[in-house]
mmCIF file of all heavy atoms in Angstrom:
data_model
loop_
_atom_site.group_PDB
_atom_site.id
_atom_site.type_symbol
_atom_site.label_atom_id
_atom_site.label_comp_id
_atom_site.label_asym_id
_atom_site.label_seq_id
_atom_site.Cartn_x
_atom_site.Cartn_y
_atom_site.Cartn_z
ATOM 1 N N ASN A 110 100.312 128.243 89.542
ATOM 2 C CA ASN A 110 99.854 127.301 90.562
ATOM 3 C C ASN A 110 100.707 126.038 90.565
ATOM 4 O O ASN A 110 101.028 125.489 91.634
ATOM 5 C CB ASN A 110 98.383 126.946 90.334
ATOM 6 C CG ASN A 110 97.458 128.106 90.638
ATOM 7 O OD1 ASN A 110 97.842 129.055 91.330
ATOM 8 N ND2 ASN A 110 96.247 128.068 90.121
ATOM 9 N N ALA A 111 101.086 125.555 89.391
ATOM 10 C CA ALA A 111 101.929 124.364 89.312
ATOM 11 C C ALA A 111 103.308 124.648 89.899
ATOM 12 O O ALA A 111 103.887 123.798 90.597
ATOM 13 C CB ALA A 111 102.049 123.892 87.870
ATOM 14 N N PHE A 112 103.824 125.833 89.636
ATOM 15 C CA PHE A 112 105.127 126.207 90.177
ATOM 16 C C PHE A 112 105.094 126.255 91.705
ATOM 17 O O PHE A 112 105.965 125.698 92.383
ATOM 18 C CB PHE A 112 105.539 127.565 89.607
ATOM 19 C CG PHE A 112 106.714 128.193 90.293
ATOM 20 C CD1 PHE A 112 107.986 127.663 90.158
ATOM 21 C CD2 PHE A 112 106.542 129.328 91.087
ATOM 22 C CE1 PHE A 112 109.076 128.245 90.805
ATOM 23 C CE2 PHE A 112 107.620 129.909 91.724
ATOM 24 C CZ PHE A 112 108.892 129.373 91.582
ATOM 25 N N ILE A 113 104.076 126.915 92.263
ATOM 26 C CA ILE A 113 103.976 127.040 93.716
ATOM 27 C C ILE A 113 103.751 125.674 94.357
ATOM 28 O O ILE A 113 104.327 125.364 95.412
ATOM 29 C CB ILE A 113 102.845 128.027 94.079
ATOM 30 C CG1 ILE A 113 103.239 129.439 93.639
ATOM 31 C CG2 ILE A 113 102.540 127.986 95.573
ATOM 32 C CD1 ILE A 113 102.174 130.472 93.858
ATOM 33 N N ALA A 114 102.941 124.828 93.742
ATOM 34 C CA ALA A 114 102.677 123.507 94.309
ATOM 35 C C ALA A 114 103.947 122.660 94.381
ATOM 36 O O ALA A 114 104.123 121.879 95.320
ATOM 37 C CB ALA A 114 101.618 122.787 93.474
ATOM 38 N N GLU A 115 104.854 122.831 93.428
ATOM 39 C CA GLU A 115 106.076 122.034 93.421
ATOM 40 C C GLU A 115 107.160 122.631 94.314
ATOM 41 O O GLU A 115 107.852 121.916 95.029
ATOM 42 C CB GLU A 115 106.609 121.895 92.001
ATOM 43 C CG GLU A 115 107.854 121.021 91.899
ATOM 44 C CD GLU A 115 108.257 120.750 90.473
ATOM 45 O OE1 GLU A 115 107.408 120.898 89.570
ATOM 46 O OE2 GLU A 115 109.436 120.380 90.252
ATOM 47 N N VAL A 116 107.301 123.939 94.277
ATOM 48 C CA VAL A 116 108.380 124.581 95.021
ATOM 49 C C VAL A 116 107.996 124.820 96.477
ATOM 50 O O VAL A 116 108.833 124.720 97.375
ATOM 51 C CB VAL A 116 108.766 125.907 94.346
ATOM 52 C CG1 VAL A 116 109.881 126.606 95.119
ATOM 53 C CG2 VAL A 116 109.210 125.654 92.918
ATOM 54 N N PHE A 117 106.732 125.122 96.737
ATOM 55 C CA PHE A 117 106.268 125.381 98.099
ATOM 56 C C PHE A 117 105.123 124.420 98.447
ATOM 57 O O PHE A 117 103.981 124.849 98.645
ATOM 58 C CB PHE A 117 105.789 126.829 98.241
ATOM 59 C CG PHE A 117 106.786 127.845 97.769
ATOM 60 C CD1 PHE A 117 106.575 128.564 96.598
ATOM 61 C CD2 PHE A 117 107.950 128.083 98.486
ATOM 62 C CE1 PHE A 117 107.486 129.488 96.142
ATOM 63 C CE2 PHE A 117 108.868 129.017 98.046
ATOM 64 C CZ PHE A 117 108.646 129.720 96.867
ATOM 65 N N PRO A 118 105.394 123.130 98.535
ATOM 66 C CA PRO A 118 104.304 122.167 98.752
ATOM 67 C C PRO A 118 103.641 122.307 100.112
ATOM 68 O O PRO A 118 102.483 121.919 100.282
ATOM 69 C CB PRO A 118 105.006 120.816 98.623
ATOM 70 C CG PRO A 118 106.437 121.097 98.949
ATOM 71 C CD PRO A 118 106.701 122.469 98.433
ATOM 72 N N ALA A 119 104.335 122.860 101.099
ATOM 73 C CA ALA A 119 103.763 122.980 102.447
ATOM 74 C C ALA A 119 102.597 123.955 102.489
ATOM 75 O O ALA A 119 101.815 123.953 103.448
ATOM 76 C CB ALA A 119 104.838 123.419 103.438
ATOM 77 N N SER A 120 102.455 124.806 101.476
ATOM 78 C CA SER A 120 101.346 125.758 101.466
ATOM 79 C C SER A 120 100.018 125.107 101.116
ATOM 80 O O SER A 120 98.963 125.708 101.293
ATOM 81 C CB SER A 120 101.631 126.886 100.466
ATOM 82 O OG SER A 120 101.764 126.370 99.153
ATOM 83 N N GLY A 121 100.058 123.861 100.614
ATOM 84 C CA GLY A 121 98.822 123.168 100.288
ATOM 85 C C GLY A 121 98.263 123.612 98.958
ATOM 86 O O GLY A 121 98.809 124.490 98.276
ATOM 87 N N PRO A 122 97.160 123.022 98.527
ATOM 88 C CA PRO A 122 96.564 123.390 97.237
ATOM 89 C C PRO A 122 96.084 124.828 97.237
ATOM 90 O O PRO A 122 95.620 125.339 98.252
ATOM 91 C CB PRO A 122 95.402 122.406 97.096
ATOM 92 C CG PRO A 122 95.099 121.950 98.487
ATOM 93 C CD PRO A 122 96.392 121.970 99.224
ATOM 94 N N ARG A 123 96.199 125.494 96.100
ATOM 95 C CA ARG A 123 95.831 126.906 96.000
ATOM 96 C C ARG A 123 94.328 127.107 96.069
ATOM 97 O O ARG A 123 93.857 128.066 96.656
ATOM 98 C CB ARG A 123 96.361 127.474 94.676
ATOM 99 C CG ARG A 123 97.870 127.468 94.552
ATOM 100 C CD ARG A 123 98.492 128.612 95.292
ATOM 101 N NE ARG A 123 98.246 129.875 94.628
ATOM 102 C CZ ARG A 123 98.621 131.058 95.099
ATOM 103 N NH1 ARG A 123 99.237 131.136 96.253
ATOM 104 N NH2 ARG A 123 98.366 132.166 94.441
ATOM 105 N N ASP A 124 93.556 126.210 95.493
ATOM 106 C CA ASP A 124 92.099 126.372 95.452
ATOM 107 C C ASP A 124 91.450 125.007 95.674
ATOM 108 O O ASP A 124 90.953 124.395 94.724
ATOM 109 C CB ASP A 124 91.677 126.976 94.107
ATOM 110 C CG ASP A 124 90.215 127.373 94.111
ATOM 111 O OD1 ASP A 124 89.636 127.517 95.207
ATOM 112 O OD2 ASP A 124 89.649 127.541 93.013
ATOM 113 N N PRO A 125 91.453 124.526 96.912
ATOM 114 C CA PRO A 125 90.918 123.179 97.168
ATOM 115 C C PRO A 125 89.420 123.108 96.890
ATOM 116 O O PRO A 125 88.665 124.022 97.232
ATOM 117 C CB PRO A 125 91.229 122.964 98.645
ATOM 118 C CG PRO A 125 91.321 124.335 99.227
ATOM 119 C CD PRO A 125 91.890 125.199 98.141
ATOM 120 N N LYS A 126 88.976 122.029 96.289
ATOM 121 C CA LYS A 126 87.571 121.862 95.927
ATOM 122 C C LYS A 126 86.872 120.945 96.933
ATOM 123 O O LYS A 126 87.370 119.868 97.257
ATOM 124 C CB LYS A 126 87.454 121.258 94.529
ATOM 125 C CG LYS A 126 88.139 122.069 93.435
ATOM 126 C CD LYS A 126 87.508 123.448 93.276
ATOM 127 C CE LYS A 126 88.165 124.221 92.132
ATOM 128 N NZ LYS A 126 87.608 125.593 92.009
ATOM 129 N N PRO A 127 85.719 121.372 97.460
ATOM 130 C CA PRO A 127 84.973 120.499 98.381
ATOM 131 C C PRO A 127 84.248 119.396 97.611
ATOM 132 O O PRO A 127 83.957 119.528 96.417
ATOM 133 C CB PRO A 127 83.991 121.462 99.042
ATOM 134 C CG PRO A 127 83.770 122.534 98.010
ATOM 135 C CD PRO A 127 85.072 122.686 97.284
ATOM 136 N N SER A 128 83.921 118.303 98.331
ATOM 137 C CA SER A 128 83.186 117.198 97.709
ATOM 138 C C SER A 128 81.678 117.411 97.782
ATOM 139 O O SER A 128 80.924 116.788 97.033
ATOM 140 C CB SER A 128 83.550 115.880 98.401
ATOM 141 O OG SER A 128 83.059 115.880 99.740
ATOM 142 N N GLY A 129 81.252 118.245 98.726
ATOM 143 C CA GLY A 129 79.823 118.448 98.928
ATOM 144 C C GLY A 129 79.206 117.435 99.868
ATOM 145 O O GLY A 129 78.000 117.495 100.147
ATOM 146 N N ILE A 130 80.012 116.519 100.400
ATOM 147 C CA ILE A 130 79.519 115.504 101.344
ATOM 148 C C ILE A 130 79.968 115.908 102.743
ATOM 149 O O ILE A 130 81.166 116.067 103.005
ATOM 150 C CB ILE A 130 80.068 114.109 100.989
ATOM 151 C CG1 ILE A 130 79.683 113.736 99.552
ATOM 152 C CG2 ILE A 130 79.570 113.066 101.973
ATOM 153 C CD1 ILE A 130 80.326 112.456 99.068
ATOM 154 N N ALA A 131 79.020 116.074 103.652
ATOM 155 C CA ALA A 131 79.344 116.503 105.014
ATOM 156 C C ALA A 131 80.085 115.391 105.754
ATOM 157 O O ALA A 131 79.746 114.212 105.637
ATOM 158 C CB ALA A 131 78.083 116.893 105.764
ATOM 159 N N ALA A 132 81.091 115.799 106.519
ATOM 160 C CA ALA A 132 81.856 114.850 107.347
ATOM 161 C C ALA A 132 82.511 115.639 108.469
ATOM 162 O O ALA A 132 83.136 116.677 108.210
ATOM 163 C CB ALA A 132 82.906 114.122 106.515
ATOM 164 N N PRO A 133 82.386 115.212 109.723
ATOM 165 C CA PRO A 133 82.957 115.967 110.844
ATOM 166 C C PRO A 133 84.483 115.892 110.851
ATOM 167 O O PRO A 133 85.080 114.937 110.341
ATOM 168 C CB PRO A 133 82.363 115.280 112.072
ATOM 169 C CG PRO A 133 82.094 113.875 111.616
ATOM 170 C CD PRO A 133 81.698 113.985 110.171
ATOM 171 N N LEU A 134 85.090 116.915 111.433
ATOM 172 C CA LEU A 134 86.543 116.928 111.582
ATOM 173 C C LEU A 134 86.972 115.948 112.672
ATOM 174 O O LEU A 134 86.294 115.786 113.688
ATOM 175 C CB LEU A 134 87.025 118.325 111.971
ATOM 176 C CG LEU A 134 87.055 119.412 110.890
ATOM 177 C CD1 LEU A 134 87.467 120.736 111.512
ATOM 178 C CD2 LEU A 134 88.009 119.031 109.783
ATOM 179 N N VAL A 135 88.108 115.314 112.464
ATOM 180 C CA VAL A 135 88.667 114.447 113.502
ATOM 181 C C VAL A 135 89.238 115.343 114.599
ATOM 182 O O VAL A 135 89.542 116.520 114.366
ATOM 183 C CB VAL A 135 89.765 113.540 112.927
ATOM 184 C CG1 VAL A 135 89.195 112.583 111.912
ATOM 185 C CG2 VAL A 135 90.893 114.376 112.334
#
């Protein structure tokens, strides 16, 4: 995951964690 995040940053985080707080999309 660290390798992909550095070499292919445009792919975004591999396993993004939600905050649990609702918020509408812009």
Side-chain angles (χ1 to χ4, degrees):
N110 290 341
F112 168 70
I113 292 176
E115 183 172 340
V116 179
F117 308 109
S120 61
R123 297 280 288 176
D124 190 19
K126 302 297 183 183
S128 67
I130 303 173
L134 285 176
V135 295

